[in-house]
């Protein structure tokens, strides 16, 4: 099947410029920067105990310095920390679990977490709540921990 097409070519010396866009609604003032109000807003301050706050982030950093003795990953990235609550008075409650109830560090790990969190500037007292529900499983690990252990 041979389909022959032909094109007609026209040579010109110049092309008229296209018409410029015009604003016909001159009654309403035109705002040049539509992001002006957004960019002028000041950031909302974050409370120290909220994620992004100084005390909260310092507690998370302290938790990332504690490593499981059997697995070369910190307990935060391992997914053993279920929650960190920081009260206005500096009281911190850490909810955590262990890989198994028969973990060899079941007696020492919560005490170490309490000691390390208590040492964070801005923390007055710290409590560690050890829970078994929901049980820990490898899916709770961060991607960094999975990568470290060759699971990604």
């Amino acid at each position: 099947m041979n389909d022959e097409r032909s094109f007609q070519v026209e040579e010109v010396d110049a092309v008229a410029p296209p018409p410029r866009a015009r604003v016909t609604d001159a009654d309403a003032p035109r705002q040049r920067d539509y992001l002006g109000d957004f960019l002028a807003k000041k950031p909302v301050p974050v409370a120290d105990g909220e994620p992004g706050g100084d005390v909260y982030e310092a507690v998370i950093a302290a938790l990332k310095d504690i490593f499981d003795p059997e697995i070369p990953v910190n307990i935060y990235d391992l997914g053993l920390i279920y929650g960190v609550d920081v009260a206005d008075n500096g009281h911190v409650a850490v909810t955590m679990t262990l890989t198994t109830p028969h973990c060899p560090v079941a007696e020492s790990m919560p005490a170490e977490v309490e000691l390390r969190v208590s040492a964070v500037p801005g923390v007055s007292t710290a409590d560690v709540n050890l829970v078994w529900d929901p049980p820990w499983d490898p899916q709770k690990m961060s991607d960094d921990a999975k990568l470290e252990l060759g699971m990604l």
Side-chain angles (χ1 to χ4, degrees), residues 52-63:
D54 292 338
V55 174
Y56 181 89
E57 295 302 326
V59 168
I60 298 300
L63 293 171

Side-chain angles (χ1 to χ4, degrees), residues 100-115:
T100 68
H102 304 292
C103 182
V105 295
E107 291 183 22
S108 63
M109 182 66 72
E112 183 178 357
V113 169
E114 185 176 339
L115 183 69

